[in-house]
Amino acid sequence: MIPEFAILGHPNEGKSSVLSTLAEDDSVRVSPIPGETTACRTFPVVVDGREVLRFTDTPGFQNPARVLVELKKRLKEGGDALAEFRRYAQTIPELHDDCELLLPVERGAGIIYVVDGSRPVRNVDRAEMEILRLTGKPRMAVINCKDRDESHLEEWKNEFRKNFNSNRVFNAHRATYAERLALLEALKSIDQDWHQPLSQVVLAFTRDWAARNEATVDIVTTMLLDCLGLELRAPVSGDEEARTRREQLFRRYGEALVTRERQAHEGIRQLFKHNIFDYQLPPHSLVHADLFDERTWQLLGLNKKQVIIAGGLGGAAIGVGLEMAAFGHGLGIFTVAGTVAGALGALFGGESFSGKAELLGMPLGGEELVVGPAKSIELLFVLLNRALLFYRHTINWAHGRRDYQAAAALPDPLRRQVFTDGWSAGNIKICHDFFRTIAKKGEDGTSQRQRFRELLRATLEEISNSEGGAEERD
């Protein structure tokens, strides 16, 4: 048996948003116009190619008082009152929506009744709740506080205790993965016969999420290997040509990093089923910021303590990190170099761009100019923290949420947003060892990569299980 739940309620209470978020399906039409949904539509939830659960979107109640009177009349007559009422209602145009919304309930679907908890309870709501109670089907009430106004919560809960097996507060626009899973867990308790099949659903969801996290580990690790190991070359015949080629090579290098990073983020977005609504993070997000902007490195790189730790682990692997610690500034690389172009040079270990001096560790007077691979572990942490920011925002951007423009208009908070700030010296060493093997291409770095993957996997799990969610300030 594949469990099915019908999402019921008054028009414009957030039914479609709740369904879209629970089913992780952004193809569900979410509209502020009441009465947009006029026919039931079922959305299967598929895991590993197998349907494990169904949610059915329904029209909103239009005439609950009349429906209640007609349903009670048929209950007194005996027989299947719900089926008898639907047969009667099919002949009455003004009862079309009320007849249609009870279709999945008649065929055995459980009920998820959605209300907007930011408003008070009305008599029409009590009529709707009584109708659903009289169906005798397993049912849960969901309080969707659309405007974050919880002043009427207790009033709603008191009413729900009279008519429902269970009730939950669930903001369909801001529900995290942990909150979605908690709601599915709660559904197991609404009827004993549903416990076993829904336990299998929760298990399937949990395994699927773990598989997506593992795929994210693959994407991020591959992106870091590609970016940190990137090496570009250009032929040169003398110092004058070298200066021009240098700028061209730096530009190509930066564009290549941006492309690889964007591809990785797109892969993460698709993993978590954001397929139709290609939302954009706010323009001020650090994920959008120029990768070589000074502020990006200041807010996403190593903190001062970690710079000292990394510097003590191995000379060139920290690169400019020792300079950063010495200058007492989160961005000694820019303080020393003065410009982004100069910072790129420092990033790769260069000392000067004039005469026959070495550029990026290679002689300028020869036949070739070389950029890469990176010699500063700072780049690893900047790319990693940007990927983790994007991951957190993606998993917690509820599929029923549509306020992209409002989120993008929020002010920019100038603060560090670093998942790695609390990492221990042991974790920094794992990153250091992983980074060191990238430059040494002939060295077997399997064990170092595996330890880094384990650290990344644990970090993703911690973010997934956080109740805090993604705030628009990112």
Side-chain angles (χ1 to χ4, degrees):
M1 178 188 75
I2 298 174
E4 179 186 5
F5 285 92
I7 313 296
L8 304 172
H10 206 69
N12 207 31
E13 296 285 279
K15 299 189 305 299
S16 296
S17 295
V18 168
L19 186 151
S20 182
T21 295
L22 286 178
E24 288 188 298
D25 191 331
D26 55 12
S27 71
V28 179
R29 181 170 174 77
V30 176
S31 172
I33 303 172
E36 281 282 290
T37 304
T38 59
C40 291
R41 182 184 174 194
T42 298
F43 296 83
V45 179
V46 178
V47 175
D48 279 340
R50 181 174 64 92
E51 184 180 356
V52 298
L53 184 63
R54 296 170 186 160
F55 291 105
T56 298
D57 198 16
T58 66
F61 280 101
Q62 297 294 329
N63 300 281
R66 182 174 177 183
V67 172
L68 183 57
V69 169
E70 296 294 341
L71 187 60
K72 283 182 174 179
K73 185 186 302 183
R74 283 155 183 79
L75 281 168
K76 290 179 181 178
E77 297 172 355
D80 189 337
L82 185 56
E84 289 298 325
F85 166 76
R86 290 197 67 254
R87 270 194 288 272
Y88 159 77
Q90 286 172 358
T91 64
I92 302 175
E94 57 264 33
L95 291 180
H96 170 271
D97 286 5
D98 303 281
C99 176
E100 179 71 10
L101 70 88
L102 291 171
L103 170 62
V105 179
E106 182 186 356
R107 68 181 178 230
I111 293 168
I112 296 178
Y113 178 64
V114 178
V115 301
D116 178 3
S118 64
R119 63 169 179 78
V121 181
R122 307 166 301 194
N123 286 333
V124 68
D125 304 311
R126 294 185 178 93
E128 292 170 4
M129 289 187 269
E130 178 66 4
I131 291 169
L132 299 180
R133 186 187 69 81
L134 292 176
T135 67
K137 304 299 182 183
R139 55 203 176 275
M140 170 188 282
V142 168
I143 308 172
N144 179 36
C145 294
K146 296 199 297 186
D147 299 320
R148 295 189 178 184
D149 179 358
E150 299 183 352
S151 57
H152 300 286
L153 273 184
E154 290 306 313
E155 181 186 5
W156 279 108
K157 288 179 179 179
N158 289 334
E159 291 293 332
F160 287 157
R161 291 184 185 108
K162 305 172 188 176
N163 298 290
F164 292 88
N165 309 96
S166 178
N167 69 80
R168 302 280 298 186
V169 177
F170 184 81
N171 189 319
H173 288 175
R174 289 175 171 80
T176 65
Y177 159 72
E179 290 166 341
R180 297 197 298 270
L181 194 63
L183 192 147
L184 291 174
E185 284 277 6
L187 284 173
K188 291 160 51 176
S189 66
I190 65 175
D191 189 279
Q192 186 173 358
D193 292 342
W194 289 67
H195 188 276
Q196 182 58 30
L198 285 174
S199 294
Q200 294 300 314
V201 169
V202 170
L203 180 60
F205 268 69
T206 304
R207 288 175 174 170
D208 179 58
W209 195 268
R212 288 192 241 175
N213 274 350
E214 190 64 27
T216 302
V217 170
D218 290 339
I219 289 171
V220 175
T221 302
T222 299
M223 182 263 292
L224 290 173
L225 289 169
D226 288 347
C227 289
L228 299 173
L230 180 62
E231 182 178 294
L232 297 181
R233 297 171 178 266
V236 293
S237 58
D239 293 351
E240 191 64 35
E241 183 182 3
R243 279 189 285 271
T244 302
R245 288 293 177 90
R246 177 197 68 197
E247 299 298 334
Q248 293 174 346
L249 212 55
F250 280 162
R251 184 169 58 253
R252 283 175 50 204
Y253 180 88
E255 290 170 352
L257 287 192
V258 168
T259 297
R260 284 162 170 77
E261 185 186 41
R262 186 183 297 119
Q263 290 170 344
H265 292 179
E266 176 63 17
I268 294 171
R269 188 180 71 85
Q270 291 181 1
L271 271 178
F272 293 93
K273 303 182 180 180
H274 289 281
N275 300 313
I276 295 177
F277 289 92
D278 184 9
Y279 70 87
Q280 298 295 317
L281 294 176
H284 61 260
S285 170
L286 288 172
V287 175
H288 284 321
D290 186 338
L291 182 58
F292 294 106
D293 181 83
E294 179 172 351
R295 194 191 69 159
T296 303
W297 286 55
Q298 187 177 31
L299 300 183
L300 291 177
L302 291 164
N303 60 39
K304 292 178 183 178
K305 179 180 177 181
Q306 291 172 335
V307 165
I308 296 170
I309 292 171
L313 288 173
I318 185 63
V320 297
L322 293 177
E323 295 174 1
M324 290 160 60
F327 274 79
H329 184 276
L331 273 179
I333 176 175
F334 291 95
T335 303
V336 173
T339 65
V340 172
L344 275 169
L347 177 64
F348 298 104
E351 297 176 354
S352 173
F353 299 130
S354 62
K356 301 292 185 180
E358 288 191 351
L359 173 64
L360 313 180
M362 299 295 290
L364 282 179
E367 300 176 351
E368 200 171 47
L369 184 68
V370 181
V371 176
K375 289 184 172 60
S376 171
I377 198 172
E378 278 282 290
L379 183 57
L380 181 151
F381 280 89
V382 170
L383 289 168
L384 175 59
N385 278 301
R386 277 160 63 112
L388 292 174
L389 275 173
F390 187 84
Y391 168 83
R392 185 184 69 175
H393 196 99
T394 299
I395 67 170
N396 290 310
W397 186 281
H399 288 70
R401 186 175 178 181
R402 301 290 190 270
D403 60 334
Y404 314 110
Q405 293 181 345
L410 289 171
D412 177 13
L414 187 64
R415 62 179 180 81
R416 280 181 67 84
Q417 301 176 51
V418 181
F419 294 89
T420 58
D421 254 355
W423 280 8
S424 65
N427 288 342
I428 299 300
K429 186 177 187 307
I430 290 172
C431 295
H432 169 272
D433 293 345
F434 169 72
F435 177 80
R436 185 172 54 84
T437 63
I438 296 173
K440 297 183 178 181
K441 297 182 178 179
E443 183 178 302
D444 181 10
T446 302
S447 61
Q448 291 88 342
R449 285 195 296 272
Q450 186 57 37
R451 285 195 293 272
F452 178 80
R453 288 175 60 89
E454 290 169 1
L455 174 60
L456 180 53
R457 186 182 302 114
T459 303
L460 296 180
E461 290 173 359
E462 183 179 347
I463 295 171
S464 294
N465 294 323
S466 170
E467 293 286 350
E471 297 298 331
E472 298 89 332
R473 61 177 178 268
D474 293 344

